[in-house]
Amino acid sequence: MKKFKHWFSSLSFRTGVVVLLLCVPFYVLSAVQFFLPISIEAKGVLWVLFFGLAKTAQYSGLAILGVDGYKRLKLQIALWRKK
C-alpha cells in the first residue's frame, strides 16, 4: 500500500486535473444511457459501470491533487472566472 501511495503522490498536478475532469463525461454517460432503447437490466449495468467510473475518476483526481493541489485548483478557477 505504501508503494501505491508513493506512486500516486508522485503524479503531477496536471495529471490530477485531467483525471478529475474525466469524471464529467462519465457522469454524463451514466445519465444519458437511460434514453437508449435497451432493456432495463442493461441500463442498470451501464449506470453502475459509468457511475462507478465517474466516482473512481473523481476520487482518484482528488487523491492525486491532494490538499495543496485542490487549493491551487480553486485559486485557478477563481482567477479564470474573473477574466
Side-chain angles (χ1 to χ4, degrees):
M1 190 69 172
K2 280 187 175 184
K3 192 174 185 180
F4 179 74
K5 190 175 179 181
H6 176 70
W7 173 76
F8 224 56
S9 65
S10 70
L11 296 173
S12 70
F13 173 79
R14 186 179 206 166
T15 303
V17 171
V18 169
V19 172
L20 190 58
L21 287 175
L22 277 175
C23 72
V24 174
F26 289 134
Y27 278 126
V28 170
L29 286 171
S30 73
V32 168
Q33 57 79 28
F34 284 115
F35 299 110
L36 296 175
I38 55 178
S39 69
I40 297 294
E41 293 82 13
K43 288 180 181 184
V45 168
L46 287 174
W47 182 82
V48 168
L49 175 74
F50 289 130
F51 193 76
L53 286 170
K55 283 297 182 185
T56 302
Q58 180 182 356
Y59 291 126
S60 298
L62 289 173
I64 293 169
L65 287 176
V67 174
D68 293 334
Y70 180 71
K71 288 178 184 176
R72 181 176 164 194
L73 181 62
K74 281 179 60 174
L75 179 64
Q76 292 292 330
I77 291 170
L79 292 174
W80 179 70
R81 284 185 178 174
K82 285 185 179 182
K83 288 183 180 181

